[in-house]
């Protein structure tokens, strides 16, 4: 089992100490090299040690956690965010971070996050994509305009896709298949519900237990044999009876918003 040199960055003393003891008791692959109560102290630790994993709080006085991103990229370290941040930030983190933990930290979620980080540590050849993911996260949070990109775990690496390029997402057991504008597909080992929670709800609608569609790419719909959508890629998607009302409501709002654009 590979050892992960780790630092904890959090301004709250209780949060730092509780996470330290949880890691000591449950994650033997973690070697805690230091604990910082500010971004400034974290930078010093990154200069002193070769760090593989950082547990990083977001909301801290002075500099917030995202101020550390340039040094994280330089160190080629993996970040797990620890946060009690607002819902928008949570969505952005889900979209782009390697992992995140909500305070108070659940032991099982902590163990899972460390296991993910250990796997990611073995994939340092994908550092360029990981860095791109962190940049996307910082941009999305600063702009506060919604999520523009998703970082998808693909095979032994990651792929960054523009949200606007997603035509629809199809469920396949415990996998989600992304159908993209360029007619490419990307299969991800996450369930559809994970992306239903992340994607902008004014554009993406869950129309069936196995389908999320981007309203931008709905070409036409028919009620002849049950509600059926035709998308611009010529695929036909069924809308379940119980989701039809929500689909029409959102389609009307989307059409109004498009008409109002200059």
């Amino acid at each position: 089992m590979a050892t992960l040199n780790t630092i904890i960055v959090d301004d709250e003393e209780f949060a730092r100490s509780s996470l330290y003891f949880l890691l000591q008791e449950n994650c033997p692959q973690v070697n805690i090299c230091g604990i910082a109560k500010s971004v400034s102290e974290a930078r010093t630790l990154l200069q002193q040690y070769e760090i593989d994993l950082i547990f990083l709080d977001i909301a801290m006085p002075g500099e917030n956690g995202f101020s550390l991103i340039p040094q994280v990229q330089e160190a080629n370290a993996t970040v797990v965010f620890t946060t009690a941040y607002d819902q928008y930030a949570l969505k952005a983190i889900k979209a782009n971070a390697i992992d995140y933990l909500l305070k108070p930290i659940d032991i099982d979620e902590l163990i899972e996050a460390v296991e993910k980080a250990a796997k990611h540590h073995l994939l340092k050849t994908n550092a360029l994509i990981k860095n791109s993911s962190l940049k996307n996260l910082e941009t999305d949070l600063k702009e506060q305009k919604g999520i523009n990109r998703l970082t998808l775990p693909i095979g032994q690496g990651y792929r960054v896709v523009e949200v606007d390029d997603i035509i629809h997402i199809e469920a396949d057991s415990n996998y989600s298949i992304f159908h993209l504008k360029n007619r490419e597909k990307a299969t991800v080992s996450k369930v559809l519900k994970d992306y239903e929670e992340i994607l902008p709800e004014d554009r993406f609608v869950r129309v069936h237990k196995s389908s999320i569609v981007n309203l931008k790419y709905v070409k036409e719909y028919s009620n002849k044999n049950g509600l059926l959508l035709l998308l611009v890629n010529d695929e036909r998607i069924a809308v379940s009876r119980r989701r039809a009302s929500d689909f029409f409501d959102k389609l009307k709002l989307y059409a109004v918003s498009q008409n109002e654009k200059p």
Side-chain angles (χ1 to χ4, degrees), residues 163-193:
V163 166
D164 201 47
D165 289 344
I166 301 168
I167 295 177
H168 73 104
I169 312 170
E170 169 192 0
D172 183 7
S173 185
N174 290 324
Y175 293 84
S176 296
I177 303 171
F178 284 73
H179 296 254
L180 305 175
K181 191 168 68 172
N182 56 8
R183 295 192 176 268
E184 290 185 3
K185 295 181 182 180
T187 301
V188 179
S189 57
K190 286 189 176 183
V191 296
L192 210 60
K193 183 173 175 56

Side-chain angles (χ1 to χ4, degrees), residues 223-255:
N223 280 307
K224 188 175 181 181
N225 297 306
L227 185 55
L228 204 63
L229 306 181
L230 177 64
L231 304 182
V232 295
N233 60 357
D234 296 325
E235 293 199 40
R236 297 183 184 276
I237 306 292
V239 179
S240 68
R241 186 177 301 174
R242 73 183 186 89
R243 296 180 187 271
S245 176
D246 182 54
F247 164 73
F248 280 119
D249 288 345
K250 289 185 177 178
L251 185 63
K252 288 174 187 175
L253 289 172
Y254 178 76

Side-chain angles (χ1 to χ4, degrees), residues 8-246:
I8 297 169
V9 186
D10 200 308
D11 65 305
E12 297 175 2
E13 184 178 353
F14 177 76
R16 294 193 301 270
S17 58
S18 60
L19 179 53
Y20 174 85
F21 287 114
L22 285 174
L23 289 168
Q24 291 286 84
E25 291 293 319
N26 299 283
C27 303
Q29 68 271 55
V30 168
N31 173 40
I32 299 175
C33 298
I35 300 176
K37 59 178 181 288
S38 67
V39 168
S40 176
E41 289 185 9
R43 288 193 183 102
T44 301
L45 290 173
L46 285 173
Q47 291 171 354
Q48 292 176 346
Y49 302 99
E50 189 173 329
I51 298 300
D52 306 309
L53 174 60
I54 303 170
F55 287 93
L56 181 60
D57 185 26
I58 295 174
M60 292 184 284
E63 295 180 280
N64 68 27
F66 295 106
S67 302
L68 192 62
I69 286 177
Q71 287 73 40
V72 170
Q73 294 173 339
E74 234 176 88
N76 197 22
T78 297
V79 172
V80 173
F81 289 101
T82 59
T83 180
Y85 223 50
D86 64 25
Q87 187 61 30
Y88 175 80
L90 179 58
K91 287 185 177 183
I93 290 165
K94 280 185 178 182
N96 292 292
I98 299 306
D99 211 338
Y100 70 98
L101 296 170
L102 279 177
K103 299 174 183 176
I105 291 171
D106 178 83
I107 294 174
D108 292 334
E109 290 180 357
L110 175 63
I111 292 170
E112 184 182 351
V114 171
E115 288 173 353
K116 284 183 186 177
K119 289 177 184 176
H120 186 74
H121 179 60
L122 299 177
L123 299 173
K124 280 193 173 180
T125 53
N126 293 298
L128 183 61
I129 296 176
K130 180 185 71 178
N131 291 348
S132 173
S133 166
L134 288 169
K135 287 177 182 175
N136 293 343
L137 174 57
E138 184 182 27
T139 300
D140 285 343
L141 283 170
K142 281 183 177 177
E143 291 181 354
Q144 295 282 308
K145 293 178 181 175
I147 295 166
N148 298 315
R149 305 167 196 83
L150 290 178
T151 301
L152 304 179
I154 304 292
Q156 296 300 306
Y158 293 85
R159 176 175 179 179
V160 178
V161 301
E162 297 290 326
V163 166
D164 201 47
D165 289 344
I166 301 168
I167 295 177
H168 73 104
I169 312 170
E170 169 192 0
D172 183 7
S173 185
N174 290 324
Y175 293 84
S176 296
I177 303 171
F178 284 73
H179 296 254
L180 305 175
K181 191 168 68 172
N182 56 8
R183 295 192 176 268
E184 290 185 3
K185 295 181 182 180
T187 301
V188 179
S189 57
K190 286 189 176 183
V191 296
L192 210 60
K193 183 173 175 56
D194 289 341
Y195 294 104
E196 183 182 11
E197 294 174 353
I198 293 168
L199 291 165
E201 58 183 22
D202 61 330
R203 282 186 288 155
F204 289 85
V205 184
R206 183 81 174 261
V207 296
H208 192 276
K209 66 179 181 181
S210 60
S211 301
I212 293 174
V213 300
N214 185 344
L215 294 175
K216 177 180 178 179
Y217 296 112
V218 174
K219 192 174 179 181
E220 60 184 60
Y221 59 86
S222 168
N223 280 307
K224 188 175 181 181
N225 297 306
L227 185 55
L228 204 63
L229 306 181
L230 177 64
L231 304 182
V232 295
N233 60 357
D234 296 325
E235 293 199 40
R236 297 183 184 276
I237 306 292
V239 179
S240 68
R241 186 177 301 174
R242 73 183 186 89
R243 296 180 187 271
S245 176
D246 182 54

